[in-house]
Amino acid sequence: MNDALKRCHRESLERRILDLFAEDGRAQDFSVSHDGLLFDYSKTNIDTDTRRALVALTETADVAGRRAAMFSGAPINATEGRAVLHTALRNLDGDPVTVDGQDVMPGVRATLERMADFAADVRDGRIAGQGGRITDVVNIGIGGSDLGPSMAVRALKPYHDGPRCHFISNVDGADLTDTLGGLDPARTLVLVASKSFTTQETMANACAVRAWMARAVKDPAQQFAAISTAKEEVAAFGIPPERMFGFGDWVGGRYSVWGPIGLSLMISIGPDAFFDFLKGGQAMDAHFQSAEPERNMPVMLALVGLWHRQICGHATRAVIPYEQRLERLPAYLQQLEMESNGKRVAMDGSALESDSGPVVWGDAGTNGQHAFFQLLHQGTEVVPCEFLLGAEGHEADLVDHHEILVAHCLAQSKALMTGRDLETARGQVEAWGLSGKTLDRLARHRVFTGNRPSTTLLYPKLTPYVLGQIVALYEHRVFVEGVVLGINSFDQWGVELGKELAGAILPAVRGETAPDRWDGSTRFLLDRIRTPRTGE
Ligand SMILES: O=P(O)(O)OC[C@H]1O[C@](O)(CO)[C@@H](O)[C@@H]1O
């Protein structure tokens, strides 16, 4: 990174985050408020100079120009020669968006209408199973064809008024067995969600579920629908075109929840609530495109992320929603952020000069407090934390629970920042009546260095609209970080090699080929795996 930021970093090491609050109004100044959301980054070691230097990065990298290119349908996914237009899926105003000279909006609208009709028909019983009204929907997909809808369906539980939704992603047969257990195949609708319709795990699961259904009903295809860009593969699987919901190759898998991949969500919460989800995303798009950098939530979220990873060198970032129903958000963001920005090569093929995006991990609070927070507070690594918190919960009869939840969230970010010094710790141990070496020793264990950065995203209540805002916020954050780093956030070549090798190793696992061609460790493991099966 540039000299100005290096200087800002050096200066930040000379002060504590808490010192920055000596200036009045820091919380207001170092936060962005928009459309009910508040992103508070005041508990970071970013001061005015640092922010200025960070904002300058967006100018150098021409974030505004790249953003305009993305929204206009230019092929910014340069390694695959594709446009990046998940934003068109939530462009409810229908303003034209052209790819290769063609407006994609009529197609987007038509698909959305078909989805809404299909969802309404399933919910109202006009589309039924061979044993009666659909009671359960099973989405089969993996990665972007699973994480978005499964996260969102879980997040919006209070809005479920349709059939129950289930998700099978893993090729581990346990996922399938445990999900199908208790379901009535004659009243289950299966959505096979796969952009490519060739993903091995998804196709293995789809075939197995079809066989499960065939044991109970005459015509399983009647209870299947496909969500894909691959017409021929869908037809070859036996799903008719009227049960296929397609989308353009300009929608990346991890950005696809807004369209047909979100069909399970739409069936679960209904078309109107799904439209609210889209509206939230669309509102965030408008904000992202128009707000100046310092007042622009995705831009500032990205710049804080770049500060922590690329300037301060913190290798990981914890995402901790104080909202049980967002427990799948960290997993969703792992794909969104790590598949997008986990790259060591710049757009032009040269080696990246800075670090790639961070490792993203986390879990819902308060559960995480009783698991990994010990390390966050007293470990040797500094892990910037991203808290998410709703001002209001849905449980009107459990308001006290929500108050406790809020108190814990605020307490954690405060504890990370302020810590507890040795003198205070000594005072506490002294109060137990201890002294001398025992006091010294025990007091040290109770010291918290503090000065650990965190941000808080505060939202009013987790409605479909707010979830749409949050997901779009994170998508644009990834975009800005990618542009500043100079990488292509929209391909994922890094997942290819493992897939290829799995295909090549499978015959050896099945015992169809000898394991000789593999390296010593793989051969050794294959031998051990095969021994108990064959009794050799
Ligand atoms: O929707 P598909 O084509 O089955 O792909 C599933 C997932 O596999 C990946 O290609 C790689 O993990 C993801 O990008 C994608 O979301």
Side-chain angles (χ1 to χ4, degrees), residues 142-145 194-196 199 253-254 335 339 492 495 499:
I142 197 164
S145 298
S194 175
K195 186 176 165 182
S196 59
T199 302
R254 53 193 176 274
Q335 189 201 17
E339 199 164 274
Q492 57 284 320
V495 299
K499 280 189 199 173

Side-chain angles (χ1 to χ4, degrees), residues 110-336:
T111 303
L112 197 55
E113 276 164 25
R114 281 185 59 228
M115 281 172 65
D117 289 347
F118 183 78
D121 286 349
V122 171
R123 287 162 57 85
D124 297 343
R126 287 184 294 278
I127 289 179
Q130 286 150 80
R133 213 181 163 106
I134 296 292
T135 53
D136 296 272
V137 174
V138 175
N139 185 89
I140 302 174
I142 197 164
S145 298
D146 165 74
L147 288 163
S150 64
M151 178 277 291
V153 165
R154 174 80 182 99
L156 298 176
K157 182 90 178 14
Y159 301 88
H160 291 192
D161 55 5
R164 292 178 291 262
C165 278
H166 314 268
F167 294 86
I168 298 176
S169 55
N170 203 324
V171 75
D172 181 347
D175 201 8
L176 187 147
T177 304
D178 295 351
T179 307
L180 297 185
L183 300 193
D184 176 357
R187 301 184 69 184
T188 296
L189 174 72
V190 180
L191 307 176
V192 185
S194 175
K195 186 176 165 182
S196 59
F197 229 70
T198 56
T199 302
Q200 191 179 34
E201 297 98 312
T202 299
M203 298 326 295
N205 279 327
C207 290
V209 173
R210 187 173 54 185
W212 166 77
M213 198 173 269
R215 291 194 284 277
V217 304
K218 245 194 191 154
D219 181 10
Q222 267 187 41
Q223 287 175 222
F224 268 67
I227 302 163
S228 183
T229 56
K231 275 190 192 142
E232 283 169 21
E233 284 80 356
V234 170
F237 187 83
I239 298 176
E242 62 275 16
R243 282 285 173 89
M244 172 177 166
F245 298 88
F247 51 102
D249 68 359
W250 33 264
V251 180
R254 53 193 176 274
Y255 298 87
S256 61
V257 64
W258 311 96
I261 293 289
L263 187 57
S264 51
L265 175 65
M266 191 191 249
I267 294 172
S268 177
I269 62 175
D272 288 347
F274 187 83
F275 280 111
D276 283 344
F277 171 67
L278 297 185
K279 278 181 204 156
Q282 185 190 26
M284 186 53 70
D285 293 343
H287 165 70
F288 178 49
Q289 289 179 92
S290 60
E292 57 170 294
E294 288 189 14
R295 301 282 99 207
N296 194 311
M297 206 174 283
V299 170
M300 287 315 301
L301 192 61
L303 293 180
V304 173
L306 289 161
W307 166 253
H308 286 144
R309 174 69 188 113
Q310 278 73 23
I311 320 284
C312 302
H314 305 314
T316 87
R317 174 164 57 81
V319 177
I320 307 153
Y322 273 70
E323 175 95 44
Q324 184 60 27
R325 295 190 180 107
L326 283 180
E327 66 180 336
R328 295 289 293 157
L329 185 71
Y332 172 78
L333 293 180
Q334 276 177 340
Q335 189 201 17
L336 180 65

Side-chain angles (χ1 to χ4, degrees), residues 20 26 41 182 328 528:
L20 295 168
R26 170 160 174 93
Y41 61 99
R328 295 289 293 157
R528 284 298 286 263

